[in-house]
Amino acid sequence: MRPLRPSSLPLPRRRAVLGAGGVVPALAALARPAAATAAPAAPSPVPSPGRRADPEPLPSDAAVAREVRAEFLHSWQGYRQAAWGYDEVRPVSGGRHDFFAAGHSFGLSAVEALDTLWVMELDEEVAQAADWIEAHLDPVADVDMPVFESVIRLVGGLLAGYLCTGRPELLTRCRELTDRLLPAFTASPTGIPYTRVNLRTGAVAGTAPPLAEIGSNVAEFGLLSRLTGDSRYVDAAKRAYRAVLERRSSLDLLGTTLHTETGQWLDDVSCAPNPPVDSFHEYLQVGGELLDDRELRDWYRLLTDAVLRHQLVEQDGLSWFRQVGAQDGRPRGTNQSELGSFYAGLLAKGGDLATARSYYRSWTALLDRHPVLPEQLDFATGEVRSARNDLRPEYANAAFDLWRLTGDEEYKRTAYRYFDALRTHLRVPGGYTVAEDVTGSPMRLGDLTPGYWFAENPKYLYLMFAAAPRFDYARGLLSTEGKILRGAVRPGA
Ligand code: DMJ
């Protein structure tokens, strides 16, 4: 373990500036050359990128926004008809799925959808969802809740719902739920949270949280502290982050999983930006921005520099991130999860625009081969390690972030192509579904609309094309689950 030396932490790099219109290529001027790299283990088999010689013209922005909204409504109606009040719908069979615990529903998809419905001006649907939540969501259910999922999905969803609609009951419910989750942090001797807590009894369990579960709460908790004037939430979140930073290696790298009670690393592999680490890094940037917190921003810069220094592999205009030992920086693997593709957007927001663009291009190049991205690949061999697709939003998330920062139409073009592929392959009469195997033709489909579908993919796509009057493109800030934590424009509020 290495003592933290806050005074020695570097100053944050220049920050992105958005103009009044929200879409200016401000970051282009801030781009810096990519960080020093190491040679990859083997030539990347992913074809080199390049704009298509003759790209198909896009429909007008307004037409695309209408298409996205219609597809979102199609999936929402699928949920309404087959699984209203349940967590998730199985759109092929018409079944339901309890996400958090068998036999208990928190109406997850309704919570996830609240701010997406609102920004799309589907006000009747917003009212139906909010009414259900206020009447039925039970924050003291006798359930061992997964803390991380509860925070990013339910706490974040209720916060965004409150900010969008102004309905005070949503904030009340959010606070009740967070109070019940808090023992996972306050009962910990190290500050590293337990992974589960029983909402009724407060009993905690689960002593091996990966980094994403330790840090992906500072945005929601920080905002809740602001809204309520109660600092317990942000204090718990910062304590957890500090506990991790204190345990960084001499290379400023982190392992993946820590023990809640001993504070020891349970492994020493730095696998960023892949899960289960991904949003740990994201929330240093998002939290730093939302809370105007210098310490979080400094930590983001420190850890990001180390990831770029030791993990970035560049070749043929593509960029990937290998796994390395946190203590020695030695290569440990070349696995790449689709969830890591969000990192292109995060790097852009953090000021590393050249690397951000290059990493995004890598995923776009992969789309030439797999129009719906597989969950996992080995970037050194091109082997698909998981052929599933769980209706993931990360590529669209990165497109949205990059487009918002650069104004480059290429991000719209590639995002539309991605949307069109999802519509072609994963749309079913009951909504949208995950795929078991995206490498076959036709793709083999599964039977689930994950709750995050209602929070993420359609929202990023819609915001890119709609010029939505309810979203402040200059100030808007979204959580890791796509929740609008800042920038909801409520007329008259
Ligand atoms: C979402 O729940 C969030 O984006 C989270 O940060 C990780 N990824 C899933 C969807 O893929």
Side-chain angles (χ1 to χ4, degrees), residues 99 112 148-149 152-153 212 216 275 278-280 282-283 338-339 342 375 390-394 397 450-453 455-456 460 479-482:
F99 176 80
E112 297 264 31
F148 160 72
E149 302 288 7
I152 65 170
R153 293 162 185 262
S216 310
D278 44 4
S279 48
F280 176 89
E282 183 179 10
Y283 266 28
E338 186 281 340
L339 281 88
F342 87 97
E375 289 279 302
D390 283 314
L391 272 177
R392 295 289 181 190
E394 287 77 15
N397 189 351
Y452 53 73
W453 165 263
E456 298 200 66
Y460 303 132
S479 77
T480 190
E481 191 81 355

Side-chain angles (χ1 to χ4, degrees), residues 161-352:
Y162 166 71
L163 293 173
C164 290
T165 65
R167 291 174 65 142
E169 191 61 27
L170 294 175
L171 181 60
T172 303
R173 204 52 45 83
C174 175
R175 190 174 189 180
E176 288 167 347
L177 177 62
T178 309
D179 285 343
R180 297 284 167 165
L181 295 171
L182 218 47
F185 295 79
T186 52
S188 164
T190 60
I192 298 162
Y194 292 89
T195 62
R196 305 184 85 82
V197 61
N198 185 292
L199 296 180
R200 182 155 302 167
T201 67
V204 292
T207 53
L211 294 188
E213 300 196 14
I214 298 173
S216 310
N217 46 64
V218 75
E220 290 84 358
F221 284 8
L223 183 55
L224 186 58
S225 282
R226 279 220 180 139
L227 292 170
T228 61
D230 182 342
S231 69
R232 285 178 308 139
Y233 313 113
V234 72
D235 290 347
K238 287 289 298 280
R239 180 172 172 243
Y241 257 122
R242 198 166 287 116
V244 177
L245 265 290
E246 284 171 353
R247 290 164 172 82
R248 73 189 188 275
S249 78
S250 59
L251 301 178
D252 293 327
L253 290 170
L254 304 170
T256 299
T257 306
L258 279 162
H259 194 286
T260 299
E261 291 165 351
T262 67
Q264 299 294 312
W265 286 108
L266 299 176
D267 66 86
D268 76 331
V269 178
S270 177
C271 68
N274 290 330
V277 160
D278 44 4
S279 48
F280 176 89
H281 291 267
E282 183 179 10
Y283 266 28
L284 290 171
Q285 197 277 335
V286 172
E289 167 92 24
L290 181 68
L291 308 175
D292 195 18
D293 185 315
R294 166 90 175 267
E295 195 171 33
L296 292 175
R297 285 198 293 259
D298 287 352
W299 289 341
Y300 172 79
R301 195 64 261 157
L302 178 80
L303 297 180
T304 302
D305 282 344
V307 169
L308 293 174
R309 192 176 313 120
H310 297 285
Q311 295 186 240
L312 175 64
V313 173
E314 292 180 303
Q315 187 178 10
D316 300 334
L318 302 182
S319 299
W320 300 104
F321 289 89
R322 64 185 179 185
Q323 293 81 61
V324 300
Q327 300 298 330
D328 57 18
R330 292 223 177 108
R332 294 285 187 87
T334 49
N335 190 59
Q336 200 77 98
S337 164
E338 186 281 340
L339 281 88
S341 61
F342 87 97
Y343 200 50
L346 179 59
L347 286 172
K349 289 187 286 189
D352 297 290

Side-chain angles (χ1 to χ4, degrees), residues 405-416:
L405 288 166
T406 65
D408 188 339
E409 289 290 308
E410 178 66 4
Y411 298 112
K412 278 186 172 169
R413 191 186 69 74
T414 48
Y416 183 74

